[in-house]
Amino acid sequence: MSESKHKSSFYELSIPERRSKLIDSGLISSESASAWSAGGGLDESTADHMIENVVGLFSLPVGIAQNFVVNGREVMIPMVVEEPSIVAGASFMAKLARTGDGFTAKSAASEMIGQLQLLDLPDLPKARGLLRANKKRLLDLATDPNSTIVKKGGGPRRLVVRTIRNSAIGDFLVVHLIMDVGDVMGANVLNSALEKLAKPVEALTGGRVHLRILSNLSDQRLAYASVRVPKEALAFEGYSGEQVRDGIIEAWAFAAADPYRAATHNKGIMNGIDAVLLATGNDWRAAEAGAHAYAARSGRYTSLSRWSKNASGDLVGEIELPMAVGIVGGTTHAHPTAKANLELLGVRSARELAEIIATVGLAQNMAALRALATEGIQRGHMSLHARQVAISAGASGQQVEIIADQMVKENNIRVERAKALLDQGSIHD
Ligand code: MEV
């Protein structure tokens, strides 16, 4: 696989040089890239229309994960996150993945689930029968022929009726409306369709529709990614490829077996996933809720990923999780930086974005497990943490690296030490 001309020493460039490199590569227009510069992204008046009681804006870094090849396509991945090591970790794992076949990813149709809670039924079994017999009519009622989603081939697909046994309020029914929402996240369109269904469902069953809301356990909208890394590529410093591979598999087995470890393991996965969700203006709380509910679907919370070795002894990683994301509508377009980030990604559908996001989650998981299974995370973390400490002490420009390096050498990473180094005055910006 050819080395990307976009990635050589990207991290060594200055921020404006990195931007220019992406613009010169034709991955983003200079107009869009201006959203990345201070004051170039979200403005106050747009923000004032987004939420209530706005007093200002809150900034976070946008970093670009390098080296990713997903389904044979090179992709630069924007990540918005405050934690050091995340962008570097993902980029490095993507580099290792290139020694195999890169990442392979797939996704299910963009089918979201909406729920109607149906209470006070005079005859629950009869209501269930009526709902099942009238599925086609109810689906037609939920379909808005003028909606863009329906025009593009999406819309309501299935109706599922579930019985919930409940000792607190008595047994009740839940109607699931499953809808293909295409390239939007789908919360609004689905909630509107549920509203439309409420009255006809009440008329049919004699019950009372209580809640009408989408489910964030979008298990009909799963994304899957996998990777194979040749064992030789895993060797570094004093560790053999086999040692690293087996260490990763042992670390995964811990998470698969123990919810205490699985929570942290999955947090590491979400480090990467949330960063891309934020960068693209997607609802990361929805994805978080869906991911953790999916991780507990067997009744026991477990790992979202799986690591094993194949017949040749290469490391194989896989991940599967719900991924309800959009590339049109909502914040994805209202926020200029999210729009720019989507342009850089070059995705043509919400499903493609979901596949890339699952891939980043897998890469992030591999980065964490590789570090934990070998030298531990503190070493890599410390130098990055030292940079943040230097910045909080007031360092800027080249001072940041110099002071951070010195503090790591001294094994003394504290704001007071950074201030003292700054005060020595020998370090100039
Ligand atoms: C830290 O943000 C994430 C890790 O704790 C993930 C893990 O333990 O797998 C390193």
Side-chain angles (χ1 to χ4, degrees):
M1 197 167 293
S2 72
E3 287 285 296
S4 162
K5 68 180 184 336
H6 313 305
K7 71 183 175 62
S8 55
S9 310
F10 191 77
Y11 76 98
E12 288 168 340
L13 305 176
S14 67
I15 294 177
E17 284 170 343
R18 290 186 194 127
R19 275 188 215 139
S20 301
K21 188 153 189 162
L22 296 173
I23 295 165
D24 294 347
S25 309
L27 292 168
I28 189 161
S29 70
S30 56
E31 197 198 342
S32 304
S34 68
W36 290 329
S37 42
L42 188 64
D43 60 61
E44 285 189 359
S45 84
T46 311
D48 204 19
H49 295 296
M50 273 184 177
I51 63 162
E52 308 75 37
N53 300 348
V54 170
V55 292
L57 307 170
F58 180 97
S59 299
L60 283 170
V62 184
I64 309 296
Q66 305 277 296
N67 308 324
F68 275 85
V69 175
V70 184
N71 292 336
R73 181 169 88 84
E74 292 218 21
V75 57
M76 294 278 174
I77 304 183
M79 300 177 81
V80 171
V81 67
E82 84 300 343
E83 186 175 326
S85 303
I86 289 180
V87 177
S91 301
F92 187 50
M93 293 312 116
K95 195 171 180 180
L96 290 184
R98 291 174 83 103
T99 64
D101 327 302
F103 294 93
T104 306
K106 55 189 183 186
S107 54
S110 301
E111 290 185 353
M112 291 292 276
I113 300 169
Q115 298 189 294
L116 289 179
Q117 183 190 19
L118 188 51
L119 303 174
D120 302 341
L121 288 161
D123 184 339
L124 190 145
K126 188 173 168 207
R128 194 170 46 212
L130 282 168
L131 285 165
R132 286 184 176 148
N134 282 274
K135 277 184 187 177
K136 167 91 181 67
R137 185 171 72 82
L138 292 170
L139 281 174
D140 287 346
L141 283 171
T143 306
D144 173 1
N146 297 317
S147 86
T148 318
I149 288 172
V150 172
K151 282 183 186 154
K152 285 187 167 175
R157 290 283 187 259
R158 297 185 293 287
L159 215 74
V160 175
V161 186
R162 298 172 53 220
T163 306
I164 306 276
R165 304 273 168 218
N166 194 271
S167 56
I169 58 167
D171 297 350
F172 58 91
L173 292 182
V174 174
V175 180
H176 279 195
L177 171 64
I178 297 155
M179 184 167 180
D180 187 334
V181 296
D183 286 328
V184 298
M185 188 274 187
N188 282 335
V189 67
L190 189 54
N191 290 338
S192 305
L194 290 169
E195 296 284 349
K196 274 178 79 179
L197 267 191
K199 285 272 168 289
V201 164
E202 285 181 344
L204 184 68
T205 61
R208 170 172 65 91
V209 169
H210 192 44
L211 300 197
R212 290 146 281 181
I213 187 73
L214 95 164
S215 167
N216 286 124
L217 176 49
S218 6
D219 62 2
Q220 307 294 299
R221 200 178 184 180
L222 298 173
Y224 169 90
S226 67
V227 68
R228 177 187 66 83
V229 186
K231 58 178 180 305
E232 302 75 28
L234 292 166
F236 74 103
E237 293 180 5
Y239 300 96
S240 71
E242 285 84 356
Q243 268 176 317
V244 178
R245 176 200 65 200
D246 294 344
I248 290 175
I249 296 170
E250 285 159 359
W252 160 77
F254 183 7
D258 175 32
Y260 286 93
R261 173 59 204 148
T264 326
H265 175 100
N266 290 342
K267 188 272 183 182
I269 290 172
M270 300 313 285
N271 273 344
I273 288 183
D274 287 351
V276 187
L277 290 168
L278 257 167
T280 54
N282 273 291
D283 184 344
W284 74 97
R285 288 89 56 211
E288 281 279 347
H292 297 293
Y294 193 66
R297 68 193 179 284
S298 70
R300 190 175 58 81
Y301 186 84
T302 187
S303 165
L304 285 165
S305 65
R306 184 184 161 76
W307 292 93
S308 57
K309 64 178 175 187
N310 66 12
S312 323
D314 296 339
L315 178 69
V316 175
E318 294 164 276
I319 190 169
E320 183 185 73
L321 78 172
M323 195 49 65
V325 290
I327 60 163
V328 291
T331 321
T332 55
H333 273 206
H335 196 302
T337 320
K339 209 169 156 190
N341 292 338
L342 278 166
E343 183 178 326
L344 180 73
L345 277 162
V347 285
R348 289 164 302 257
S349 67
R351 288 176 64 178
E352 194 181 349
L353 177 61
E355 290 164 10
I356 290 174
I357 293 175
T359 298
V360 176
L362 186 63
Q364 209 69 60
N365 184 221
M366 183 178 159
L369 298 190
R370 175 184 171 275
L372 288 166
T374 56
E375 58 192 12
I377 58 161
Q378 281 317 85
R379 187 171 144 193
H381 253 264
M382 276 306 129
S383 56
L384 292 163
H385 168 62
R387 281 199 230 160
Q388 284 191 336
V389 171
I391 293 168
S392 3
S396 61
Q398 291 177 345
Q399 291 174 328
V400 177
E401 290 300 321
I402 298 169
I403 291 178
D405 285 351
Q406 184 60 28
M407 289 193 296
V408 170
K409 247 185 240 149
E410 294 173 9
N411 196 16
N412 182 11
I413 304 168
R414 290 180 308 122
V415 178
E416 298 74 49
R417 181 62 189 141
K419 281 192 175 144
L421 286 167
L422 264 178
D423 290 346
Q424 282 173 9
S426 54
I427 298 160
H428 300 289
D429 188 1

